[in-house]
Amino acid sequence: MIPYEFRAPLEADRVSLRLLTDQDVDVVHSYQSREDVCRYMLYEPRDHATVVAKVAEWSQHSRLEQDGDYLQLAVERRSDRRVLGDLYFTVKSVANQSAEIGWSLHPDHQGQGYASEAASAMLDVAFRVMRLHRVVAELDPRNDPSVALCRRLGMREEARFVEDLRFKGEWADTGVYAILAREFLAR
């Protein structure tokens, strides 16, 4: 089912996923500028100008067709249309029908199930609409909330690469979690 064009908001119980717009810059900056949010991200806290540029770039990506194509979507609370964070989804391999997922939420909205709902909605598209075979999440294993989210999503830990990444001045591990279509659809 690739190519996939993201058009309308993707609705879950309490959240919607939609393309980011320039109106989201301030709220995205409010969490991407924080040390605690960026601790396990591949980037340092971002200044406002960098977030402006990133949101402009991300808003142009709505089609998943080939390796490396991605979506960076706003996670929006349906009740008040407040952006809580963002969700990343990229095609890793068309030939192998695989993708990668990631997420980032403002700390004020963590621990309330919003990321689970958003990621589950995207996994549903990945497996039911796009007919992908496998989705992975790669993360720093010290990021306990993201590890717990992977487990809630039904993802299993498949690998832990020890000190494989020079990360913010120190060696860091990479954890790999994954779920197959048949596992997700059987839930």
Side-chain angles (χ1 to χ4, degrees), residues 1-2 5 24 27 48-49 64 94 115 127 130 133 154 156 158:
M1 297 296 288
I2 292 175
E5 184 76 31
D24 300 318
V27 71
H48 196 267
L64 301 174
V94 172
F127 295 128
M130 297 177 67
H133 175 67
R156 81 186 140 286
E158 290 194 332

Side-chain angles (χ1 to χ4, degrees), residues 14-15 36-37 75 77 84-85 103-118 143-150 152:
R14 298 178 302 149
V15 298
D36 56 342
V37 170
V75 176
R77 187 168 44 212
L84 309 176
W103 42 78
S104 177
L105 255 61
H106 190 289
D108 291 350
H109 309 295
Q110 293 174 2
Q112 299 172 49
Y114 295 123
S116 289
E117 282 188 38
N143 186 343
D144 294 332
S146 281
V147 168
L149 175 54
C150 287
R152 280 192 307 279

